[in-house]
Amino acid sequence: MAATLPPQQPQAESSTSAGTSSAASAEVFKRLHPAQYLSRFLAKGYRSDGRKIRDWRDVSINVGSISTSNGSSLVRMGDTTMVCGIKAEIAEPTAQSPNEGYVVPNVDLPALCSPNFKPGPPGDEAQTISNWLNDLIVSSNTIPTSSLVISPGKAVWALYIDVVCINYDGNAFDAAVLAVMAALRNVKLPKARYNEEKNQTICSRKEKYPLQLGRIPLSCSFGIFDSTYLLPDPTSYETPLLPTTLTIALDEHNQASLIRQEGLGGTKGKSGEKVLGEGWSMAEERVRVLRGILEDSGI
């Protein structure tokens, strides 16, 4: 007797083939026409990663995971992951600033975190984020450099803040700021004293103390798409499609530590002041949530 195939099988194969073809067509359209692809999602009230238009990505924080550092953190913001390690070393202060220590932040976006970056010296985006981070720390007085003095004119602490992106999916600055602030609150420095007779600094192996911190700003970034949509926390797919970006950093009292706009675009029918007001309101709520996560992380 000749074998016969079940009547449902050709339909199932046809359905599977059609689904695969549809997914492939969507992926091709996404690559060839990224702006139209994103626009179709936004018209339905959603982003291409499934979020609603004004939703932020989930955030998690782990601290103290790098045993060789004086303080560390790991931050996940959606698929963007940042690791921050802070190393403290004893240095001699400058003659111009004998009562001030050093704070040296650096952000690295290596090739391993995204195909957008190439091996070699730091790229433009990494250097820009490093400069912004330094400006934010200095303008907010997050680490009073006078608190890093061991002996005036003799010895001070130098804090080297290294942030490395291990997976990049946009909004690296917000993730880097959060990682740095979490790591700073995790830092423990050994008690140190300067021995005048031996001209050397002696550190205790048992006694440690946390940093004296000032304002702790947290950053919220937005992009404007098609002069219509204000998109918080843009992904790496969305970022090249956003000619105008807005960054707002707020401290514990919702006072501005940083407001930066890149690009001259705005949104149709809204003044720049109104757009800033919308961003500010969203940033206040976001910062409140982020601070709650900081506390829950056991810092």
Side-chain angles (χ1 to χ4, degrees):
M1 179 181 294
T4 59
L5 294 174
Q8 293 84 358
Q9 186 166 340
Q11 296 178 5
E13 291 180 352
S14 176
S15 177
T16 302
S17 177
T20 302
S21 176
S22 177
S25 297
E27 186 64 28
V28 170
F29 182 74
K30 178 181 179 180
R31 290 177 177 274
L32 295 180
H33 307 284
Q36 294 181 38
Y37 182 84
L38 178 59
S39 181
R40 290 187 180 185
F41 274 93
L42 296 176
K44 299 293 185 180
Y46 289 90
R47 311 268 284 274
S48 58
D49 60 1
R51 284 182 286 165
K52 292 185 177 180
I53 290 179
R54 295 203 167 184
D55 281 355
W56 303 80
R57 292 179 290 181
D58 292 336
V59 170
S60 65
I61 304 173
N62 293 302
V63 297
S65 55
I66 303 178
S67 59
T68 55
S69 68
N70 296 93
S72 63
S73 69
L74 185 148
V75 166
R76 291 186 176 92
M77 185 174 290
D79 287 333
T80 293
T81 305
M82 292 282 188
V83 175
C84 177
I86 300 178
K87 193 71 175 177
E89 296 183 359
I90 295 172
E92 183 178 343
T94 63
Q96 295 77 15
S97 304
N99 295 313
E100 294 183 5
Y102 303 96
V103 179
V104 186
N106 180 68
V107 177
D108 187 17
L109 302 175
L112 63 87
C113 75
S114 169
N116 294 340
F117 307 117
K118 297 180 180 179
D124 292 341
E125 184 171 353
Q127 294 184 51
T128 298
I129 294 176
S130 295
N131 292 334
W132 287 5
L133 182 59
N134 183 67
D135 292 345
L136 181 63
I137 292 173
V138 172
S139 64
S140 302
N141 197 32
T142 300
I143 311 171
T145 51
S146 58
S147 68
L148 301 177
V149 175
I150 299 172
S151 178
K154 302 290 186 179
V156 297
W157 288 110
L159 298 183
Y160 295 94
I161 304 173
D162 291 307
V163 185
V164 180
C165 181
I166 58 177
N167 193 69
Y168 176 83
D169 188 26
N171 204 7
F173 181 67
D174 288 6
V177 170
L178 183 58
V180 168
M181 298 306 159
L184 286 173
R185 295 179 59 169
N186 181 244
V187 168
K188 296 292 188 295
L189 295 179
K191 186 175 182 180
R193 62 181 179 84
Y194 186 78
N195 189 313
E196 295 284 352
E197 295 181 358
K198 297 182 178 180
N199 290 326
Q200 64 181 11
T201 302
I202 300 174
C203 295
S204 171
R205 293 185 177 182
K206 297 182 179 180
E207 296 183 70
K208 295 185 178 182
Y209 63 93
L211 287 175
Q212 298 178 27
L213 298 177
R215 300 163 68 196
I216 305 293
L218 297 176
S219 174
C220 301
S221 295
F222 308 82
I224 298 177
F225 176 74
D226 196 28
S227 300
T228 304
Y229 301 99
L230 182 64
L231 306 179
D233 191 11
T235 64
S236 59
Y237 179 77
E238 296 168 336
T239 299
L241 307 175
L242 307 174
T244 301
T245 58
L246 174 66
T247 300
I248 301 172
L250 304 177
D251 65 11
E252 301 90 333
H253 306 290
N254 284 335
Q255 298 296 312
S257 299
L258 169 73
I259 299 177
R260 186 188 303 275
Q261 177 177 325
E262 290 192 305
L264 302 177
T267 57
K268 299 174 183 176
K270 295 181 181 179
S271 65
E273 183 178 354
K274 187 172 183 179
V275 174
L276 178 59
E278 289 181 4
W280 188 288
S281 297
M282 296 169 67
E284 286 184 337
E285 176 62 23
R286 175 63 164 177
V287 166
R288 183 187 66 80
V289 172
L290 293 178
R291 292 197 188 282
I293 297 174
L294 278 176
E295 298 299 329
D296 291 343
S297 65
I299 299 173

